Amino acid sequence: MSKLRQKKKKLTPETQQFFKDNPELWRVYANIDPDVRKVLTLCNSPCIPSGATAVQGDRIKAFLSSSGLPGDHPGLKKYFHDAADLDAVINKIDELAGKLDKNVLDSLLNNLGGVNDLVKLLDDVGGVDDLVLLLDSVTDVDQLKRLLTAVGSDVKP
């Protein structure tokens, strides 16, 4: 039995039914890169973005390759889990990854609760370029948390 079939059998009955009702999504999910699958799967319940496409999977794979972040990065998984518009989320993370050091992006994702917190943070500071300027002075995680708190973001404890 393939690993993917084994994984499918471990899914909750609700998720198995979700995939039965959405066979195209199962085909996308089954054929995407394993690291992308990890990013898009937060738990064993139906939490995979229902509109995910193979093209979006390829874009996420390219992001993972260029950023050096792993598919099982907890902050990244939460970031994608909350996505109402997967294309917009991919665009935003691509933009951030192109302008932020990998370690800063890693810390940022680990200290925010997900995409909604990131969108709020970007709105609060005036956009990606302004966030990059603010984060340029950050030298450690405690400083990042203080900065996020100062701009009114909800920082994970």
Side-chain angles (χ1 to χ4, degrees), residues 88-146:
V89 168
I90 295 168
N91 291 342
K92 192 60 64 185
I93 199 75
D94 275 343
E95 185 178 5
L96 281 171
K99 295 180 180 186
L100 292 177
D101 173 81
K102 174 192 171 194
N103 294 327
V104 174
L105 181 60
D106 177 56
S107 292
L108 183 64
L109 289 169
N110 279 328
N111 287 284
L112 290 174
V115 68
N116 295 329
D117 290 345
L118 181 58
V119 168
K120 180 182 180 307
L121 173 62
L122 290 169
D123 287 346
D124 289 348
V125 300
V128 171
D129 290 331
D130 290 329
L131 177 61
V132 170
L133 287 173
L134 277 173
L135 294 175
D136 193 39
S137 62
V138 172
T139 57
D140 61 43
V141 174
D142 289 334
Q143 190 177 15
L144 174 66
K145 287 181 179 181
R146 285 192 302 275

Side-chain angles (χ1 to χ4, degrees), residues 22-151:
N22 298 282
E24 181 58 31
L25 185 58
W26 174 251
R27 280 189 286 282
V28 169
Y29 184 75
N31 292 312
I32 58 175
D33 181 87
D35 282 334
V36 174
R37 194 176 307 115
K38 287 177 189 174
V39 167
L40 295 178
T41 308
L42 187 62
C43 57
N44 285 336
S45 63
C47 58
I48 299 113
S50 62
T53 67
V55 171
Q56 290 167 329
D58 291 343
R59 291 183 63 206
I60 294 169
K61 176 63 178 168
F63 162 76
L64 291 173
S65 296
S66 66
S67 71
L69 294 174
D72 59 356
H73 186 286
L76 198 56
K77 290 171 75 73
K78 179 67 175 153
Y79 178 78
F80 279 103
H81 180 264
D82 291 343
D85 179 346
L86 198 52
D87 282 320
V89 168
I90 295 168
N91 291 342
K92 192 60 64 185
I93 199 75
D94 275 343
E95 185 178 5
L96 281 171
K99 295 180 180 186
L100 292 177
D101 173 81
K102 174 192 171 194
N103 294 327
V104 174
L105 181 60
D106 177 56
S107 292
L108 183 64
L109 289 169
N110 279 328
N111 287 284
L112 290 174
V115 68
N116 295 329
D117 290 345
L118 181 58
V119 168
K120 180 182 180 307
L121 173 62
L122 290 169
D123 287 346
D124 289 348
V125 300
V128 171
D129 290 331
D130 290 329
L131 177 61
V132 170
L133 287 173
L134 277 173
L135 294 175
D136 193 39
S137 62
V138 172
T139 57
D140 61 43
V141 174
D142 289 334
Q143 190 177 15
L144 174 66
K145 287 181 179 181
R146 285 192 302 275
L147 174 69
L148 293 175
T149 301
V151 295

